[in-house]
Amino acid sequence: MATTTATESLSNGEGPVHEDQGDNLRPEDLSEMLAAGTKDVHEQAENTQFVKDFLRGRIRKELFKLGAVALYYTYSAMEEEMERNKEHPHLAPLYFPVELHRHEALARDLEFFYGAEWESQIRLSPATERYVERIREVGREDPALLVAHAYTRYMGDLSGGQVLKKVAQRALKLPATGEGLEFYMFDAIDSPKAFKQLYRSRMNQLELDAESKKRVVDEAVKAFHFNMEVFQELEEMGKPIEEEDDTENGMPVHGDATGDVSKCPYYAAKTAAADGTTHACQLAMAMLHHPSGQVLVAICVALLASLVAWYLM
């Protein structure tokens, strides 16, 4: 499969392009306006209960499947509109179907979860339908606003997707080979950091006046709200799902992350490095709260004390 590096070319249908080095960002750059303009709503999104539970590993397979269904409809609509408007001057520089498009990967994930007849088993939920209708509307009437939807989704997927993949893989005991998680795999992008830098640079070069940039930022805020509505809907869908026993002999099977878990799918990547240490600490705490674990710890402490005493003799 094709991959790219920071110095290799990427293709978006216009021929080879390269990472832009040394951008001097300005407040009036679209990428900076989007970051500032979506800061508050981004914080709201990352603090929804669904996102926090997901990052703690508290995600049921049935609910995860419903989330994949919502994503499938959302990306199918967005990528169909991007395809239909790929010659638009404000979209052509951001058209990266090989590197970014997700609907085919999501279709494979749904086939894994639902089987060969998956298309007959899924349906468009009300919150997702409202999201899809807005994407279709801007694709028909004001294609430049698709930039806001692409930015909100793709940059988030590249920022925190690998963390969410690891959380889901462990919590749901999914295959290490990646089945059911292809949505999070960007096989044609070797360096997400370099690609995001390129993508933002392309956005900043779009010929948009101040008013048009403001409209893109406003649309990105709407996109965050649509995502939050989907999260909230998934929370409601999850309530009737029968709670499974997540413990084995009284100890957590998957772990429950503590501390600051309000790291949303858009910027969660920095938690990955601490993941292993956190899980080990969680297991130790669980052992201390369980009688058999306390006995085991006591035995270990006694053996260690004996070893130290023997060493000092």
Side-chain angles (χ1 to χ4, degrees):
M1 61 186 68
T3 59
T4 61
T5 66
T7 57
E8 290 176 330
S9 65
L10 301 169
S11 175
N12 65 349
E14 297 183 314
V17 296
H18 299 271
E19 177 192 2
D20 294 341
Q21 301 286 345
D23 274 352
N24 294 315
L25 297 176
R26 301 164 298 175
E28 63 269 26
D29 286 338
L30 182 57
S31 67
E32 295 300 286
M33 292 177 65
L34 281 164
T38 60
K39 182 177 183 296
D40 290 342
V41 72
H42 170 221
E43 290 177 355
Q44 295 171 33
E46 70 185 10
N47 281 293
T48 59
Q49 193 61 45
F50 177 80
V51 172
K52 291 193 289 187
D53 284 347
F54 193 139
L55 289 166
R56 289 185 174 116
R58 294 176 178 173
I59 182 74
R60 307 290 174 184
K61 184 170 286 189
E62 285 304 313
L63 201 57
F64 185 80
K65 289 162 60 176
L66 291 173
V69 170
L71 289 171
Y72 173 77
Y73 284 117
T74 301
Y75 279 88
S76 294
M78 184 171 69
E79 289 164 4
E80 285 172 13
E81 293 303 322
M82 292 286 288
E83 180 70 25
R84 193 164 62 85
N85 291 283
K86 63 183 179 182
E87 303 297 332
H88 192 283
H90 296 143
L91 294 178
L94 302 175
Y95 180 67
F96 291 98
V98 174
E99 291 84 1
L100 292 178
H101 283 194
R102 300 285 85 205
H103 74 277
E104 291 183 0
L106 283 160
R108 291 191 293 272
D109 288 343
L110 293 176
E111 183 175 4
F112 172 79
F113 287 118
Y114 289 98
E117 303 299 320
W118 63 272
E119 290 180 277
S120 65
Q121 299 184 50
I122 66 173
R123 66 179 180 85
L124 189 62
S125 70
T128 306
E129 185 173 16
R130 291 190 291 273
Y131 195 178
V132 166
E133 285 177 351
R134 179 57 183 172
I135 291 171
R136 297 291 191 194
E137 181 183 2
V138 301
R140 290 191 308 269
E141 300 177 5
D142 196 350
L145 295 184
L146 288 172
V147 173
H149 292 277
Y151 163 84
T152 302
R153 289 300 334 170
Y154 292 130
M155 293 300 96
D157 300 332
L158 287 169
S159 294
Q162 293 308 302
V163 172
L164 295 183
K165 175 191 168 189
K166 291 178 181 178
V167 171
Q169 194 168 52
R170 186 176 66 192
L172 302 179
K173 299 181 179 178
L174 294 173
T177 46
E179 288 91 337
L181 296 167
E182 291 194 43
F183 167 70
Y184 300 104
M185 301 177 186
F186 291 83
D187 293 332
I189 297 177
D190 190 56
S191 172
K193 181 179 179 181
F195 188 89
K196 286 187 293 181
Q197 186 175 352
L198 166 68
Y199 197 89
R200 294 189 182 105
S201 176
R202 286 292 191 91
M203 285 198 306
N204 293 338
Q205 293 170 18
L206 296 177
E207 294 185 2
L208 294 168
D209 58 28
E211 179 58 28
S212 297
K213 290 179 181 178
K214 182 180 183 303
R215 290 174 55 251
V216 171
V217 173
D218 290 343
E219 188 66 24
V221 171
K222 290 180 182 177
F224 271 99
H225 279 293
F226 282 120
N227 278 283
M228 284 191 286
E229 288 180 13
V230 173
F231 294 155
Q232 290 159 4
E233 183 181 67
L234 287 169
E235 289 175 31
E236 292 300 314
M237 289 179 175
K239 289 178 181 178
I241 296 176
E242 183 179 356
E243 290 289 327
E244 299 172 3
D245 184 11
D246 258 354
T247 63
E248 185 175 288
N249 296 325
M251 297 185 188
V253 176
H254 307 307
D256 178 14
T258 57
D260 182 12
V261 296
S262 59
K263 307 299 178 201
C264 77
Y266 306 99
Y267 300 98
K270 63 185 178 182
T271 63
D275 186 62
T277 303
T278 301
H279 186 60
C281 293
Q282 293 159 4
L283 183 59
M285 292 302 296
M287 291 176 64
L288 289 173
H289 285 86
H290 191 271
S292 60
Q294 293 168 3
V295 172
L296 181 60
V297 171
I299 292 172
C300 291
V301 171
L303 289 173
L304 181 61
S306 298
L307 181 63
V308 171
W310 174 83
Y311 180 82
L312 294 175
M313 285 179 61

